[in-house]
């Protein structure tokens, strides 16, 4: 779905064509272009929906300076997969309960989608989803991170995420005492 | 040890008192190491009290308290030799007239750490002040500086200052407050301190870590936060810690509550994050409580769970503006094991009520296995009104004769109810629709979702829809067996709400045998 930057005539024709097409072009921080269906973008991202409605979509590629190409590729990938996974008509009719119901467990394809991501890619995707206001993607990615933490001791979590322990031994003990009620051994 | 002298007003009693006090002081032979000397007397005979004080001071007490309550005539301290104060650490004076001599006297106390002056008057036309290099705590309560000179407090070791009310017309100045860490200052409204004085006071409190002000008129300028590393991501962090608080809260919302609290231990960045999560989930499953447990460990588990839940709500900063609260509790099962655990039931119901009580601002509430009555109308003062509630989700709640009343759920927009049991048994117990003949008011209700397993004789449908739409609507309700997405009921008129703009969608999904109701 990556599209090379067009120039001159090619760009002109594409511009014309784009007015009729139902896709939007997004540009990552490092200048790569991605296309995504306008309908999916508007439905999944509140920010993109606002931009489309407000007419601030640039046909030559809407600049998303905060998002790197790898993360944007994943975003677009997610949008496409999402559009494919659920028939759009059904999605619209069930959209009320979809949006209002409490968080639903990630579906199989969503699980697979986040499972294949590296650590860095996952965090980049979280930030991208946050920036674009993609609630569902944010939930799915955050859920993935929580899965990586679930059932682990603080020490293990530190190891998994490479979190630096900047407490002194005494401080750590103090907190442990303070929050003794939250530590239980079963 | 301690010499205590109290007073009685009557003459003979006073005489006896005097005799006792004098004798006590005369025959007390522990002259060199008295720990505390306390004089408590409504002044009757100043001469006597003077004497006791002078005598008492000769014991070189470490603690001296002279309290003269209720005297009209201001009591003046007798002249005292400063050599007697070489051990004095605490001095408490109440209702005394302190003249220029006192200022001088104070400066001679070598080890004074605590000074408390209550209802004392500073008189005499000389400069007044408290200059004590060793003083650690100073309390000035309702003192009155009648001199024309400002009150000067110079105490470089002072760590705690409590200044309440009082009158300091000529102003009050704190200097050398380098080690002051805690300050409590109450100022009366009636202009006893000029704004300039107030500002000056504040200016000298630059080092405090805890400051409590009341009645101040001077504007507070707080140029920069003094806390160092607490909160906020920094560049050098791992990708997880580098996420903004909001995202970490989303991640934490998927974790079991004990683990959310345990994240405190990860690093300073995580220290206080759990306190501000907008989502609290309390689940007794995290503590190994389940319907299967019938042995003795249940009480222990429940006690731990209760302890956790209470602590969590106590120490969470955000309970008044919580976004979401989920409580999973299997008390329902306790009911069925009634003989064994009646006591827990009582405990838990109280607990449930308390839990709910602290959540008056939630916008989304999901209750599972809840037994406590939820009363949301204003007539029931035990219960909070959930004025911000947007979503109410009930699952297997209210098995018994509880009545749920949604009288004033005026902003509730969504209501879900899940039940995995036969509706029939619950039907008469959930009074969702009305109370005392009034329709319940939920003008903003947009969605009702009722999911249940069995529908005997379609009573539920009648029950819900009968209240929702006009009677002719009910007759149209014929269950269809086709498995289609639940239809939206858009009823132009309903009894549910008197407001014209009310819109109600009822989505009924029947879990095991999906039946869609379409209109």
């Amino acid at each position: 779905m990556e599209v090379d930057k067009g120039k001159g005539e090619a760009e002109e024709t594409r511009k014309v064509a784009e007015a009729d097409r139902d896709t939007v072009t997004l540009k990552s921080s490092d200048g790569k272009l991605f296309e995504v269906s306008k309908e999916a973008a508007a439905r999944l991202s509140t920010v993109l929906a606002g931009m489309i409605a407000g007419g601030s979509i640039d046909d030559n590629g809407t600049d998303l300076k905060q998002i790197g190409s790898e993360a944007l590729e994943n975003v677009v990938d997610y949008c496409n997969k999402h559009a494919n996974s659920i028939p759009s008509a059904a999605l619209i009719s069930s959209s009320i309960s979809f949006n209002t119901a409490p968080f639903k467990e990630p579906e199989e394809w969503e699980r697979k989608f986040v499972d294949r991501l590296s650590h860095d890619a996952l965090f980049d995707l979280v930030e991208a989803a946050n920036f674009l206001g993609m609630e569902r993607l944010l939930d799915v990615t955050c859920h993935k991170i929580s899965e990586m933490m679930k059932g682990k001791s603080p020490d293990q979590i530190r190891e998994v995420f490479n979190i630096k322990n900047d407490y002194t031994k005494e401080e750590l003990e103090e907190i442990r005492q303070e929050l003794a009620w939250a530590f239980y051994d079963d | 040890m301690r010499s205590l002298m109290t007073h009685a007003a009557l003459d003979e009693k006073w005489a006896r008192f005097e005799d006792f006090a004098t004798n006590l002081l005369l025959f007390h032979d522990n002259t060199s190491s008295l720990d505390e000397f306390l004089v408590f007397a409504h002044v009757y005979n100043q001469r006597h009290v003077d004497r006791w004080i002078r005598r008492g001071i000769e014991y070189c007490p470490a603690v001296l308290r002279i309290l003269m309550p209720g005297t009209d005539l201001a009591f003046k301290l007798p002249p005292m030799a400063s050599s007697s104060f070489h051990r004095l650490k605490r001095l408490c004076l109440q209702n005394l007239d302190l003249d220029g001599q006192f200022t001088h006297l104070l400066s001679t106390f070598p080890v004074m750490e605590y000074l408390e002056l209550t209802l004392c008057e500073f008189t005499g036309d000389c400069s007044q002040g408290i200059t004590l290099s060793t003083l650690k705590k100073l309390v000035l309560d309702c003192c009155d500086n009648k001199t024309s000179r400002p009150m000067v407090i110079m105490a470089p070791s002072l760590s705690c200052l409590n200044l309440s009310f009082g009158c300091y017309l000529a102003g009050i100045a704190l200097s050398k407050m380098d080690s002051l860490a805690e300050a409590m200052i109450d100022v009366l409204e009636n202009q006893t301190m000029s704004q300039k004085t107030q500002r000056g006071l504040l200016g000298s409190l630059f080092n405090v870590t805890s400051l409590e002000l009341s009645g101040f008129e001077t504007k507070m300028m707080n140029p920069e936060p003094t806390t160092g590393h607490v909160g906020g991501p920094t560049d050098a962090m791992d990708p997880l810690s580098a996420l903004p608080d909001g995202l970490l809260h989303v991640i934490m919302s998927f974790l079991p509550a004990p683990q959310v609290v345990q994240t405190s231990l990860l690093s300073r960045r995580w220290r206080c994050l759990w306190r501000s999560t907008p989502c609290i989930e309390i689940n007794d499953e995290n503590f190994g409580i389940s319907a299967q447990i019938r042995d003795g460990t249940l009480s222990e588990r429940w006690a731990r769970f209760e302890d956790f839940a209470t602590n969590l709500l106590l120490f969470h900063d955000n309970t008044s503006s919580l976004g979401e609260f989920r409580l999973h509790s299997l008390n329902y099962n306790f009911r069925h094991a009634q003989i064994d655990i009646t006591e827990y039931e009582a405990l838990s119901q109280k607990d449930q009520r308390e839990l709910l009580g602290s959540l008056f601002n939630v916008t989304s509430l999901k209750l599972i296995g809840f037994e406590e009555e939820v009363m949301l109308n204003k007539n029931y003062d035990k219960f909070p009104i959930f004025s911000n509630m947007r979503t109410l989700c009930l699952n297997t709640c209210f098995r018994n004769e509880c009545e749920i009343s949604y009288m004033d759920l005026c902003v509730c927009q969504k209501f879900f109810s899940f039940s995995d049991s036969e509706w029939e048994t619950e039907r008469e117990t959930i009074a969702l629709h009305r109370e005392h003949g009034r329709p319940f008011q939920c003008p903003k209700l947009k969605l009702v979702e009722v999911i249940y397993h069995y529908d005997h004789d379609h009573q539920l449908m009648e029950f819900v829809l009968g209240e929702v739409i006009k009677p002719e609507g009910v007759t149209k309700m014929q269950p269809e067996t086709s498995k289609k997405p639940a239809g939206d009921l858009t009823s132009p008129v309903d009894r549910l709400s008197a407001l014209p703009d009310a819109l109600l969608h009822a989505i009924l999904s029947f879990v095991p045998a999906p039946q869609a109701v379409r209109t």
Side-chain angles (χ1 to χ4, degrees), chain A residues 146 149 151 158 166-167 171 182, chain B residues 259 262 264-268:
Chain A
S146 78
M149 299 168 78
R158 259 190 236 117
D166 53 1
Y167 287 123
E171 281 174 319
Chain B
Q259 237 198 313
Q262 288 169 18
S264 283
L265 283 182
L266 289 177
S267 71
R268 287 174 203 274

Side-chain angles (χ1 to χ4, degrees), chain B residues 149-323:
Chain B
R149 310 197 185 192
M151 178 85 188
V152 180
I153 299 170
M154 198 169 2
S157 312
L158 196 68
S159 64
C160 180
L161 172 70
N162 187 342
L163 184 62
S164 39
F165 304 104
C167 184
Y168 305 94
L169 280 176
I172 185 164
L174 308 179
S175 60
K176 294 209 176 163
M177 290 290 166
D178 297 356
S179 43
L180 192 63
E182 197 181 329
M184 269 185 297
I185 302 179
D186 274 3
V187 180
L188 267 188
E189 271 175 25
N190 58 11
Q191 302 286 327
T192 56
M193 239 188 237
S194 69
Q195 292 215 4
K196 186 162 164 286
T197 309
Q198 291 177 5
R199 202 162 43 235
L201 250 184
L202 289 179
S204 49
L205 301 174
F206 58 91
N207 252 345
V208 293
T209 56
S210 156
L211 181 62
E212 193 176 307
L213 299 175
S214 59
F216 259 72
E217 283 184 318
T218 296
K219 269 192 207 168
M220 296 286 292
M221 304 288 278
N222 193 0
E224 54 197 85
T226 48
T227 46
H229 39 247
V230 178
T234 58
D235 290 340
M237 277 176 176
D238 59 281
L240 181 62
S241 303
L243 292 177
D245 289 5
L247 291 184
L248 292 178
H249 284 153
V250 176
I251 294 170
M252 288 160 112
S253 73
F254 296 121
L255 289 173
Q259 237 198 313
V260 171
V261 180
Q262 288 169 18
T263 59
S264 283
L265 283 182
L266 289 177
S267 71
R268 287 174 203 274
R269 164 91 179 98
W270 294 78
R271 173 84 195 254
C272 292
L273 271 178
W274 71 269
R275 288 180 208 267
S276 52
T277 52
C279 172
I280 291 182
E281 173 168 338
I282 296 175
N283 192 337
D284 59 4
E285 281 171 27
N286 295 332
F287 290 81
I289 296 174
S290 75
Q292 281 73 46
I293 295 176
R294 290 278 189 275
D295 58 23
T297 63
L298 189 61
S299 62
E300 196 187 310
R301 285 166 202 259
W302 178 261
R304 224 164 40 192
F305 172 58
E306 197 217 351
D307 180 48
F308 173 78
T310 311
N311 272 307
L312 181 65
L313 291 171
L314 266 176
F315 294 106
H316 196 284
D317 290 339
N318 213 9
T319 42
S320 59
S321 59
L322 203 62

